[in-house]
Amino acid sequence: MSEHIAVTDTPEGIRLIRIDRPDKKNALTGAMYDAMRDALVKADASEVIGAIVFAGATGAFSAGNDLADFVAGTRKPFSDAPALQFIRQLARTRTPMIAAVDGIAVGIGTTLTLHCDLVYASPAARFRMPFVELGLVPEAASTYLLPRRVGLLKATEMLLLSRPFDADEALGLGLVNAVMPADLLLEHALAQGARLASLPRGAVQATRALIRGDQAAMEAALEAEAVAFEERLRAPEAQAAFAHFLGRAKPA
């Protein structure tokens, strides 16, 4: 487990996964991905947990990958990367998932929400997917899921141009269910989780599967992205982008 991932189970049957690395705006390391994946696996295996809520430390959801940690891990095949193992589990998790997004949600901070059944945001939420800027391709089946949510042209704009969007635009596009004050955000997400956990589990999971549609097609897109991601990781463009970023953003 990671000291920066706090997993709490409530009496109402909710597993709260809180990303707690505020000094790095909740940037994710391999150990943090492993901890979250483990929390998802055990939630699916539990007879008690009926919903999962993702949240970040106050003021940020996640700044995406901790790039220094991520680059260090690229010495190994991407197929073994903790980030990809987490993404695969995220796509396969049967337990309903909810995101409470306050502040920045960059990269996986945004694509994670595409796998959630309910998403709530504070007015300070800012979403961005800067994969192309880093010489990479999108991940987490976002090239499959996002066009189906917002349309091909909007998805292209967000993914190719890395265009950021705020909570109000996310609401208008149908990417979040509601925008509410930050001090009410987690409470509301937990209340919706409690409602889901109180319903008949088999009916919830069957309905969720019907709503989500073609699971095989989504996972195929995820794996195609992973292959392309591996190729791009080794390309000079990505190596130059990583070096530029790490040279500019030295550890505090």
Side-chain angles (χ1 to χ4, degrees):
M1 297 295 285
S2 168
E3 62 180 316
H4 299 302
I5 299 295
V7 180
T8 307
D9 294 341
T10 75
E12 295 79 18
I14 306 161
R15 172 154 291 182
L16 172 61
I17 302 175
R18 187 189 285 272
I19 308 168
D20 189 13
R21 198 187 179 200
D23 59 317
K24 297 295 184 182
K25 297 184 179 180
N26 297 331
L28 296 165
T29 64
M32 294 165 73
Y33 278 120
D34 284 341
M36 291 195 296
R37 179 179 56 81
D38 183 69
L40 293 180
V41 170
K42 290 179 178 175
D44 266 359
S46 171
E47 296 183 359
V48 175
I49 301 302
I52 296 163
V53 173
F54 288 99
T58 303
F61 187 63
S62 175
N65 283 312
D66 179 307
L67 200 57
D69 180 84
F70 183 76
V71 169
T74 60
R75 299 184 186 98
K76 299 178 181 179
F78 182 62
S79 57
D80 298 331
L84 182 57
Q85 301 308 314
F86 167 72
I87 287 168
R88 284 170 169 156
Q89 181 56 46
L90 183 70
R92 295 167 184 167
T93 294
R94 299 185 308 278
T95 306
M97 296 181 288
I98 301 170
V101 182
D102 181 28
I104 61 170
V106 178
I108 187 67
T110 293
T111 59
L112 181 155
T113 68
L114 299 176
H115 293 271
C116 290
D117 303 281
L118 299 169
V119 182
Y120 302 101
S122 78
R126 296 292 183 273
F127 302 88
R128 191 163 181 259
M129 294 168 284
F131 301 105
V132 172
E133 286 185 0
L134 289 170
L136 301 172
V137 298
E139 34 80 311
S142 54
T143 58
Y144 176 85
L145 294 171
L146 191 61
R148 284 158 178 76
R149 299 279 185 89
V150 304
L152 183 63
L153 291 179
K154 281 290 184 183
T156 299
E157 184 179 47
M158 292 171 175
L159 293 173
L160 268 185
L161 300 180
S162 307
R163 186 178 69 78
F165 53 100
D166 62 16
D168 287 337
E169 184 175 0
L171 179 64
L173 290 169
L175 292 172
V176 305
N177 293 86
V179 178
M180 61 191 59
D183 59 344
L184 301 178
L185 181 64
L186 183 57
E187 177 184 353
H188 183 78
L190 290 170
Q192 302 314 302
R195 172 63 176 149
L196 284 171
S198 73
L199 296 169
R201 178 166 305 190
V204 167
Q205 292 190 357
T207 301
R208 182 178 184 266
L210 289 167
I211 292 170
R212 291 165 74 86
D214 194 337
Q215 177 76 14
M218 185 268 289
E219 290 196 35
L222 189 157
E223 296 301 330
E225 289 173 353
V227 171
F229 199 100
E230 173 84 67
E231 292 173 351
R232 297 308 310 159
L233 274 177
R234 314 302 170 194
E237 289 177 341
Q239 296 301 313
F242 294 157
H244 175 73
F245 181 90
L246 293 172
R248 183 183 62 199
K250 294 179 180 178

